[in-house]
Amino acid sequence: MTTSRTPGVAAELRAVGLRVTAARVALLETVRVGDHLDVESIASGVRERVGHVSVQAVYEGLHALTAAGLVRRIEPAGSPARFEGRVGDNHHHVVCRSCGAVADVDCAVGHTPCLTASTDHGFAIDEAEVTYWGLCPACTATDDSTTNR
Ligand SMILES: [Zn+2]
Ligand SMILES: [Zn+2]
């Protein structure tokens, strides 16, 4: 099964002060292997690994992992929250307006905040969250075929 990878993940959980459970290990592995998964997809990934886990437990686990900085939560407007294992590098996302596909976009600058605000209103700004919107290649192709004369 997944035992060969478990020691590393378990150690990472312990390092951030989280109790190590089979469900949390499965959760972190599922998020890392996946690509900006929503809660439903994560729940089914966890169940494939460790059997039944309640949606409530998945939410709680994701909350703990996010708070500990092992998982990043993104929430594009109008789309359910997604989770990813790529953390701490200030990358951005491009979201398809039509199907909701999400892809990573490396930060042009590489450190926060990557955009300088035109005015800071006296705030100590430490982050800019950038979401690019458009149509993914698949949706662009569909669009072309329906609009072609
Ligand atoms: Zn699309
Ligand atoms: Zn990402």
Side-chain angles (χ1 to χ4, degrees):
M1 303 238 304
T2 55
T3 18
S4 59
R5 304 180 51 212
T6 304
V9 171
E12 285 182 72
L13 290 171
R14 242 177 258 118
V16 295
L18 290 177
R19 202 160 45 87
V20 177
T21 64
R24 278 186 180 162
V25 169
L27 199 54
L28 189 50
E29 286 180 348
T30 302
V31 170
R32 284 184 174 167
V33 172
D35 184 20
H36 307 100
L37 299 177
D38 59 18
V39 172
E40 218 170 282
S41 313
I42 293 168
S44 59
V46 169
R47 285 171 191 147
E48 272 168 30
R49 287 160 194 267
V50 295
H52 183 77
V53 173
S54 71
V55 174
Q56 179 65 23
V58 170
Y59 270 107
E60 285 170 6
L62 284 171
H63 182 78
L65 292 176
T66 305
L70 291 176
V71 160
R72 179 172 163 191
R73 174 196 168 103
I74 60 164
E75 205 165 358
S79 145
R82 314 284 195 102
F83 294 85
E84 66 180 337
R86 184 177 164 183
V87 296
D89 68 349
N90 194 48
H91 74 273
H92 305 300
H93 294 99
V94 57
V95 184
C96 178
R97 220 175 236 126
S98 177
C99 72
V102 178
D104 288 336
V105 178
D106 287 342
C107 179
V109 180
H111 54 82
T112 58
C114 60
L115 294 177
T116 305
S118 54
T119 171
D120 62 15
H121 294 283
F123 287 49
I125 294 174
D126 60 21
E127 185 182 350
E129 187 178 290
V130 181
T131 304
Y132 301 93
W133 293 89
L135 284 181
C136 72
C139 289
T140 309
T142 311
D143 214 36
D144 283 349
S145 60
T146 53
T147 52
N148 273 355
R149 275 157 285 187

